[in-house]
Amino acid sequence: MVLQKNRIVVALGGNALQADPKDTRAESQLITAKETAKPIVDLIAEGHEVIIAHGNGPQVGQLIATYEAAAQSNENIPVMPFPECGAMSQGYIGYHLQQAIREEMFNRGLEKNIATIVTQVVVDKKDEGFQNPTKPVGSFFSEEEAKVLIKEKGYTMKEDAGRGWRRVVASPEPVDVVEAPIVKTLVEAGHVVITVGGGGVPVIDEGKGILKGVPAVIDKDFASEKIAEMLEADYLIILTAVEKVAIHFNTPQQQELSEITVTEAKQYIEEGHFAPGSMLPKVKAAMKFVESKAGRRSLITSLEKAKEGIEGKTGTIITQ
């Protein structure tokens, strides 16, 4: 079954920005982005309205580590606050995606504008994630250095698998997307939009128009689901390193799933088939979107198979 002219939110995985996890150079990211642009423009060329979201884990970590290293060598250099690093990463990743997608559209004769919106995502200050920060970010430190950061900066520091101590921050659930009305206006005007990069900059709404940035990491799949709901999207596509979701992953009993219902997905989660730091948030976000309104569908597949997945030829479709 071929589905035409849908409004689609595409959540890009880390492999869409860094082909080699060890190569964090900006130049390499731009090269990878040009390959990533091709399957995205495939969807645009089919007539779909496409909204793009992406992760930023390695990029924001690199920014933080750079500022931390500079501050250690020169006390006059301040460490950049975490929310600002998130906004910076949104900007430069968006810049690369804009360049790559614009060039690919031009090569195919598609006349569309593309823009990145530096996006703020509201979180609840009472979210349980703030009580137990778990997301490691930035550089490794010795135990002595970690104790100084705890005392002077108020950081939460944890030992990381024998490699040293790292700062950990909360990973709260998204509640609202501040710039969603702007994104919707641009999409309805026919433009391609990049938004909620890295899950968005986490902010707390303090009332009277005041938004306060907080050191936290919002899962990009959950942020993508939230903006997909708010934009009344038809499809949420979560792109990852594998073509299909599987149960009994990496065992002789591995079974790839072509189409599953929300009920079946919940059963697989209860049975522990999906890894917490990998496939689990993707499946949960896909389920949440499908449950949000009748007729909505989610697709989990690889970047290269996005167009075929929308055509129903591959990937894992989650339905009600």
Side-chain angles (χ1 to χ4, degrees):
M1 178 176 62
V2 180
L3 302 174
Q4 295 294 331
K5 300 189 184 303
N6 290 288
R7 180 170 293 178
I8 302 171
V9 172
V10 178
L12 299 176
N15 61 321
L17 297 171
Q18 289 185 329
D20 180 358
K22 295 180 180 179
D23 187 352
T24 58
R25 294 175 301 147
E27 295 85 353
S28 297
Q29 179 174 287
L30 181 56
I31 292 170
T32 303
K34 290 187 177 184
E35 290 302 311
T36 295
K38 294 174 182 177
I40 292 174
V41 177
D42 284 343
L43 297 176
I44 297 169
E46 290 288 329
H48 300 299
E49 294 178 334
V50 177
I51 302 97
I52 301 152
H54 60 81
N56 72 341
Q59 294 85 355
V60 75
Q62 186 180 22
L63 285 168
I64 293 167
T66 299
Y67 277 107
E68 288 173 341
Q72 282 184 299
S73 63
N74 185 339
E75 62 181 14
N76 293 319
I77 298 176
V79 174
M80 185 67 68
F82 193 89
E84 279 74 3
C85 286
M88 290 167 70
S89 72
Q90 281 194 48
Y92 99 79
I93 293 171
Y95 159 66
H96 281 170
L97 289 172
Q98 283 176 205
Q99 281 205 329
I101 294 169
R102 180 185 179 86
E103 180 179 330
E104 185 66 23
M105 287 193 296
F106 179 83
N107 290 339
R108 300 196 199 186
L110 296 172
E111 296 184 3
K112 278 184 174 288
N113 294 311
I114 179 167
T116 297
I117 302 296
V118 176
T119 312
Q120 302 172 93
V121 176
V122 177
V123 297
D124 186 347
K125 62 182 177 183
K126 296 180 181 178
D127 190 289
E128 293 180 2
F130 289 111
Q131 307 306 314
N132 181 33
T134 57
K135 196 78 172 179
V137 295
S139 307
F140 290 93
F141 296 92
S142 67
E143 185 174 358
E144 293 73 21
E145 290 170 331
K147 289 179 179 178
V148 171
L149 289 170
I150 292 169
K151 182 178 179 180
E152 294 184 356
K153 301 286 188 180
Y155 290 175
T156 300
M157 307 289 291
K158 291 184 179 180
E159 202 276 331
D160 189 340
R163 296 181 294 175
W165 289 69
R166 294 180 79 187
R167 183 185 182 187
V168 291
V169 297
S171 186
E173 297 279 336
V175 174
D176 193 12
V177 179
V178 179
E179 287 77 19
I182 299 171
V183 175
K184 190 170 186 178
T185 297
L186 290 172
V187 171
E188 290 178 347
H191 306 305
V192 181
V193 184
I194 301 164
T195 183
V196 295
V201 179
V203 295
I204 291 173
D205 188 347
E206 298 195 323
K208 298 182 179 179
I210 300 172
L211 297 172
K212 179 182 178 182
V214 292
V217 174
I218 301 169
D219 187 286
K220 72 104 171 54
D221 296 316
F222 291 131
S224 301
E225 189 284 325
K226 177 58 70 175
I227 192 71
E229 277 193 44
M230 297 180 75
L231 295 178
E232 294 288 330
D234 304 297
Y235 244 104
L236 170 63
I237 304 181
I238 299 176
L239 300 180
T240 184
V242 294
E243 187 172 335
K244 294 185 178 184
V245 178
I247 55 176
H248 306 292
F249 185 67
N250 263 351
T251 72
Q253 292 77 39
Q254 178 170 319
Q255 178 186 345
E256 293 185 335
L257 306 171
S258 295
E259 183 169 336
I260 57 174
T261 65
V262 169
T263 301
E264 290 169 332
K266 287 177 179 177
Q267 180 181 337
Y268 293 140
I269 289 172
E270 289 175 5
E271 293 172 356
H273 285 288
F274 309 130
S278 179
M279 190 56 73
L280 182 60
K282 294 173 175 54
V283 173
K284 283 187 171 181
M287 290 165 52
K288 192 172 189 297
F289 179 69
V290 168
E291 290 182 301
S292 65
K293 188 176 180 180
R296 289 177 175 171
R297 288 187 164 202
S298 294
L299 167 69
I300 301 175
T301 191
S302 63
L303 175 66
E304 298 79 11
K305 299 293 184 178
K307 181 175 178 290
E308 292 179 46
I310 277 288
E311 293 172 349
K313 296 177 181 178
T314 190
T316 301
I317 292 284
I318 295 89
T319 68
Q320 289 179 332

